[in-house]
Coordinates of all heavy atoms in Angstrom, one line a residue:
Chain A
R69 N 24.7 -13.0 15.8 CA 25.5 -13.9 16.7 C 26.9 -14.1 16.3 O 27.6 -15.0 16.8 CB 24.8 -15.3 16.8 CG 23.4 -15.2 17.4 CD 22.6 -16.4 17.1 NE 21.2 -16.2 17.4 CZ 20.6 -16.2 18.5 NH1 21.3 -16.5 19.6 NH2 19.3 -16.0 18.6
T72 N 29.7 -17.4 11.3 CA 29.6 -18.9 11.2 C 30.0 -19.3 9.8 O 30.1 -18.4 8.9 CB 28.2 -19.4 11.5 OG1 27.3 -19.0 10.5 CG2 27.7 -18.9 12.9
L73 N 30.0 -20.6 9.5 CA 30.3 -21.0 8.2 C 29.2 -20.5 7.2 O 29.5 -20.1 6.1 CB 30.4 -22.5 8.1 CG 31.1 -23.2 7.0 CD1 32.6 -22.6 6.8 CD2 31.1 -24.7 7.1
A74 N 28.0 -20.6 7.7 CA 26.9 -20.2 6.8 C 26.8 -18.7 6.4 O 26.5 -18.4 5.3 CB 25.6 -20.7 7.4
H89 N 19.5 -20.1 2.5 CA 18.4 -21.0 2.3 C 17.3 -20.7 3.4 O 17.7 -20.6 4.6 CB 18.9 -22.4 2.5 CG 18.1 -23.4 1.7 ND1 18.0 -24.7 2.0 CD2 17.4 -23.3 0.5 CE1 17.2 -25.4 1.1 NE2 16.9 -24.5 0.2
Y91 N 13.6 -21.4 5.3 CA 12.6 -22.3 5.5 C 12.7 -23.7 4.8 O 11.7 -24.3 4.5 CB 11.2 -21.7 5.2 CG 10.9 -20.6 6.2 CD1 11.2 -19.3 5.9 CD2 10.2 -20.8 7.4 CE1 11.0 -18.3 6.8 CE2 9.9 -19.8 8.3 CZ 10.3 -18.5 7.9 OH 10.0 -17.5 8.8
G92 N 14.0 -24.0 4.5 CA 14.2 -25.3 3.9 C 13.8 -25.4 2.4 O 13.9 -26.4 1.8
I93 N 13.3 -24.3 1.9 CA 12.6 -24.4 0.6 C 13.2 -23.3 -0.4 O 13.5 -23.6 -1.5 CB 11.1 -24.2 0.7 CG1 10.5 -25.2 1.6 CG2 10.5 -24.3 -0.7 CD1 9.1 -24.9 1.9
R150 N 22.6 -20.8 -3.5 CA 23.9 -20.6 -2.8 C 25.1 -21.2 -3.6 O 26.1 -20.6 -3.7 CB 23.8 -21.2 -1.4 CG 25.1 -21.0 -0.6 CD 25.0 -21.3 0.8 NE 24.6 -22.6 1.0 CZ 24.0 -23.1 2.1 NH1 23.8 -22.3 3.1 NH2 23.7 -24.3 2.3
Chain B
dT2 P -6.7 -7.5 1.7 OP1 -6.4 -6.2 2.2 OP2 -5.9 -8.3 0.8 O5' -7.1 -8.5 2.9 C5' -7.9 -8.0 3.9 C4' -8.1 -9.1 5.0 O4' -8.6 -10.3 4.3 C3' -6.8 -9.6 5.7 O3' -7.1 -9.7 7.0 C2' -6.5 -10.9 5.0 C1' -7.8 -11.5 4.7 N1 -7.8 -12.4 3.5 C2 -8.2 -13.7 3.7 O2 -8.6 -14.1 4.8 N3 -8.2 -14.5 2.6 C4 -7.8 -14.2 1.3 O4 -7.8 -15.0 0.4 C5 -7.4 -12.8 1.2 C7 -7.0 -12.3 -0.1 C6 -7.4 -12.0 2.3
dG6 P -0.8 -27.1 10.5 OP1 -1.8 -27.8 11.3 OP2 0.3 -26.4 11.1 O5' -0.3 -28.0 9.3 C5' -1.1 -28.2 8.2 C4' -0.2 -28.4 7.0 O4' 0.3 -27.1 6.5 C3' 1.1 -29.2 7.3 O3' 1.4 -30.1 6.2 C2' 2.2 -28.1 7.4 C1' 1.7 -27.0 6.4 N9 2.0 -25.6 6.8 C8 2.0 -25.1 8.0 N7 2.4 -23.8 8.0 C5 2.7 -23.5 6.7 C6 3.1 -22.3 6.1 O6 3.4 -21.3 6.6 N1 3.3 -22.5 4.7 C2 3.1 -23.7 4.0 N2 3.4 -23.6 2.7 N3 2.7 -24.8 4.6 C4 2.5 -24.7 5.9
dA7 P 2.6 -31.1 6.2 OP1 2.1 -32.3 5.7 OP2 3.2 -31.0 7.6 O5' 3.6 -30.4 5.2 C5' 3.1 -30.2 3.9 C4' 4.2 -29.6 3.0 O4' 4.4 -28.2 3.5 C3' 5.6 -30.2 3.1 O3' 6.1 -30.3 1.8 C2' 6.4 -29.4 4.1 C1' 5.8 -28.0 3.7 N9 5.9 -27.0 4.8 C8 5.6 -27.2 6.1 N7 5.7 -26.1 6.9 C5 6.1 -25.1 5.9 C6 6.3 -23.8 6.1 N6 6.3 -23.1 7.2 N1 6.6 -23.1 4.9 C2 6.6 -23.7 3.8 N3 6.4 -25.0 3.5 C4 6.1 -25.7 4.7
dT8 P 7.1 -31.4 1.4 OP1 7.2 -31.4 0.0 OP2 6.8 -32.7 2.2 O5' 8.5 -30.8 2.0 C5' 9.1 -29.7 1.3 C4' 10.2 -29.2 2.1 O4' 9.8 -28.4 3.3 C3' 11.1 -30.4 2.7 O3' 12.4 -30.3 2.1 C2' 11.1 -30.1 4.2 C1' 10.7 -28.7 4.3 N1 9.9 -28.4 5.6 C2 9.8 -27.0 5.9 O2 10.2 -26.1 5.2 N3 9.2 -26.8 7.1 C4 8.6 -27.8 8.0 O4 8.1 -27.4 9.0 C5 8.8 -29.1 7.6 C7 8.3 -30.2 8.4 C6 9.5 -29.4 6.4
dG9 P 13.3 -31.6 2.2 OP1 13.8 -31.9 0.8 OP2 12.7 -32.6 3.1 O5' 14.6 -30.9 3.0 C5' 15.3 -29.9 2.4 C4' 16.1 -29.2 3.4 O4' 15.2 -28.5 4.3 C3' 17.0 -30.1 4.3 O3' 18.2 -29.4 4.6 C2' 16.2 -30.2 5.6 C1' 15.7 -28.8 5.6 N9 14.6 -28.6 6.6 C8 13.7 -29.5 7.0 N7 12.8 -29.0 7.8 C5 13.2 -27.7 8.0 C6 12.6 -26.7 8.8 O6 11.6 -26.7 9.5 N1 13.3 -25.5 8.6 C2 14.4 -25.3 7.8 N2 14.9 -24.0 7.7 N3 14.9 -26.2 7.0 C4 14.3 -27.4 7.2
dA10 P 19.6 -30.1 4.2 OP1 19.7 -30.5 2.8 OP2 19.9 -31.1 5.3 O5' 20.6 -28.8 4.5 C5' 20.3 -27.6 3.8 C4' 20.5 -26.5 4.8 O4' 19.4 -26.3 5.7 C3' 21.8 -26.6 5.6 O3' 22.4 -25.3 5.6 C2' 21.3 -27.0 7.0 C1' 19.9 -26.3 7.0 N9 18.9 -27.0 7.8 C8 18.5 -28.3 7.8 N7 17.6 -28.6 8.6 C5 17.3 -27.4 9.2 C6 16.3 -27.1 10.2 N6 15.5 -27.9 10.8 N1 16.3 -25.8 10.6 C2 17.1 -24.9 10.1 N3 18.0 -25.1 9.2 C4 18.1 -26.4 8.8
dT11 P 23.9 -25.2 6.2 OP1 24.6 -24.1 5.3 OP2 24.5 -26.5 6.3 O5' 23.7 -24.6 7.6 C5' 22.9 -23.4 7.8 C4' 22.6 -23.2 9.2 O4' 21.5 -24.1 9.6 C3' 23.7 -23.4 10.2 O3' 24.1 -22.2 10.8 C2' 23.1 -24.4 11.2 C1' 21.6 -24.3 11.0 N1 20.9 -25.6 11.3 C2 19.8 -25.5 12.1 O2 19.5 -24.5 12.7 N3 19.1 -26.7 12.4 C4 19.5 -27.9 11.8 O4 18.8 -28.9 12.1 C5 20.6 -27.9 10.9 C7 21.0 -29.2 10.3 C6 21.2 -26.8 10.7
dC12 P 25.4 -22.1 11.7 OP1 25.9 -20.8 11.5 OP2 26.2 -23.3 11.6 O5' 24.7 -22.1 13.2 C5' 23.7 -21.2 13.5 C4' 23.0 -21.5 14.8 O4' 22.2 -22.8 14.6 C3' 23.9 -21.8 15.9 O3' 23.5 -21.1 17.1 C2' 23.9 -23.3 16.1 C1' 22.4 -23.6 15.7 N1 22.2 -25.0 15.3 C2 21.1 -25.7 15.7 O2 20.3 -25.1 16.5 N3 20.9 -27.0 15.4 C4 21.8 -27.6 14.6 N4 21.5 -28.9 14.3 C5 22.9 -26.9 14.1 C6 23.1 -25.7 14.5
dT13 P 24.4 -21.0 18.5 OP1 24.4 -19.6 18.9 OP2 25.6 -21.8 18.3 O5' 23.4 -21.8 19.5 C5' 22.0 -21.4 19.6 C4' 21.3 -22.4 20.5 O4' 21.1 -23.6 19.8 C3' 21.9 -22.6 21.8 O3' 21.0 -22.6 22.8 C2' 22.5 -24.0 21.6 C1' 21.5 -24.7 20.7 N1 22.0 -25.8 19.9 C2 21.3 -26.9 19.8 O2 20.2 -27.1 20.3 N3 21.9 -27.9 18.9 C4 23.1 -27.8 18.3 O4 23.5 -28.8 17.6 C5 23.8 -26.6 18.4 C7 25.1 -26.4 17.7 C6 23.2 -25.6 19.2

Side-chain angles (χ1 to χ4, degrees):
Chain A
R69 297 165 196 279
T72 66
L73 199 56
H89 209 206
Y91 292 90
I93 305 173
R150 180 169 57 200

